Amino acid sequence: MSGAPPVSGISELVLEVSDLDAARRFYRDILGFEETLYGEGREGRYWYLVGETARLGLWTPQTGLAGGRGGSHVHFAFHLGDAELDPLAERISAAGAEVEGPLQLGPGRAIYVTDPDGNVVEFWSQDMGEYTSGARAGGEPGTFKPEAP
């Protein structure tokens, strides 16, 4: 798709959750993301620093901002090194969350954890930079491929 913005990854993802306290415990205590607040006058909104360039927001369902609405479930993935996958799976399991995997996905491996609202958090060791460059070149079996004109 020509003219697409030069996006290199997710910088921010916001989840509207039904139980804010349970979601905070999951992302802060089980996954170990660093919790931070976002400005004055925004009580009830929590942000988590993810890696060097992304953040995850949590708050209860809102109306207004882009027609925000709760009730949808999201599946999203974070990249991490392959050597970090097994220790993370062990730590998450020891904290009481169910971990699916690790599963082999192409050249990478992944684990899946479901948060209290049913959102699926994936940790994947595959380098998406390599993955998407191959897709833009025509793709291999099992990869994204450009749409036919």
Side-chain angles (χ1 to χ4, degrees):
M1 172 164 88
S2 65
V7 173
S8 62
I10 293 174
S11 61
E12 178 178 291
L13 174 69
V14 174
L15 300 176
E16 294 180 338
V17 299
S18 60
D19 186 334
L20 187 58
D21 290 332
R24 288 179 66 202
R25 283 190 301 275
F26 178 80
Y27 287 97
R28 180 190 60 216
D29 301 337
I30 293 177
L31 296 186
F33 292 163
E34 180 183 350
E35 184 176 272
T36 182
L37 296 175
Y38 181 59
E40 291 183 31
R42 297 179 185 230
E43 291 76 23
R45 296 181 182 197
Y46 296 89
W47 292 96
Y48 299 85
L49 304 178
V50 182
E52 297 298 318
T53 60
R55 65 184 185 163
L56 171 70
L58 298 176
W59 55 69
T60 55
Q62 309 287 308
T63 56
L65 179 67
R69 60 201 178 281
S72 296
H73 301 291
V74 176
H75 175 141
F76 55 99
F78 296 113
H79 175 262
L80 75 163
D82 191 63
E84 299 167 301
L85 199 64
D86 293 322
L88 177 62
E90 290 171 15
R91 184 175 63 73
I92 292 171
S93 291
E98 185 176 336
V99 176
E100 183 180 345
L103 305 173
Q104 190 71 41
L105 295 176
R109 296 183 310 139
I111 61 172
Y112 300 87
V113 185
T114 302
D115 80 3
D117 275 88
N119 298 302
V120 178
V121 184
E122 178 180 352
F123 295 90
W124 193 12
S125 66
Q126 183 165 344
D127 181 343
M128 288 306 292
E130 291 178 15
Y131 189 74
T132 55
S133 68
R136 287 191 174 96
E140 297 296 325
T143 66
F144 297 113
K145 294 176 178 55
E147 289 188 39

